[in-house]
Amino acid sequence: MSHTFVAVASQQELAAGKMLRVEVAGKRYLIARVDDEYFAVDDNCSHEDSSLYLGCLQGDMIRCSLHGSRFSLRTGQPQEEPADEAIGTYALKLQDGQIWMDPTRRSN
């Protein structure tokens, strides 16, 4: 199976402990950097239609600003109610100073 990686940002744009919202083919994703690890997840909370970009990083978790649900950036699994469904996580690679994401393949 071939992967369709798309350049979504420069590595310089994303400092450790920060996140970026990117759009690929009309869909929003969240790119987060925790120390030297990069993660790509859906930008919407699975509990309600709220942007996770408005939330905050807590270690390798993203907390939704609307109702406080936390999601693992590694697996997309909810770690705290009220959310009970996972968010999508996506493959990333770093190459030539760019962050590349495969929006066609969910990791979970």
Side-chain angles (χ1 to χ4, degrees):
M1 173 183 279
S2 67
H3 301 293
T4 308
F5 282 92
V6 176
V8 292
S10 163
Q11 284 180 259
Q12 292 180 340
E13 290 179 68
L14 193 56
K18 300 295 182 182
M19 54 189 166
L20 291 171
R21 185 184 329 184
V22 298
E23 189 171 314
V24 178
K27 184 173 177 189
R28 292 183 317 194
Y29 301 91
L30 184 70
I31 309 298
R33 180 175 171 193
V34 177
D35 297 322
D36 288 329
E37 290 186 88
Y38 294 78
F39 301 94
V41 298
D42 288 329
D43 182 34
N44 272 354
C45 177
S46 64
H47 172 247
E48 295 232 358
D49 189 23
S50 180
S51 172
L52 292 174
Y53 182 73
L54 302 174
C56 61
L57 291 177
Q58 296 178 327
D60 64 352
M61 306 276 183
I62 179 74
R63 183 179 200 93
C64 179
S65 65
L66 189 59
H67 291 116
S69 291
R70 291 184 310 139
F71 298 90
S72 167
L73 292 170
R74 296 178 191 286
T75 66
Q77 292 298 316
Q79 304 299 303
E80 194 169 326
E81 294 181 346
D84 59 3
E85 291 182 34
I87 57 173
T89 60
Y90 300 87
L92 284 181
K93 68 179 181 179
L94 306 177
Q95 185 177 342
D96 300 325
Q98 294 289 313
I99 303 169
W100 297 76
M101 183 185 85
D102 181 355
T104 66
R105 184 181 62 136
R106 284 178 62 149
S107 298
N108 59 357

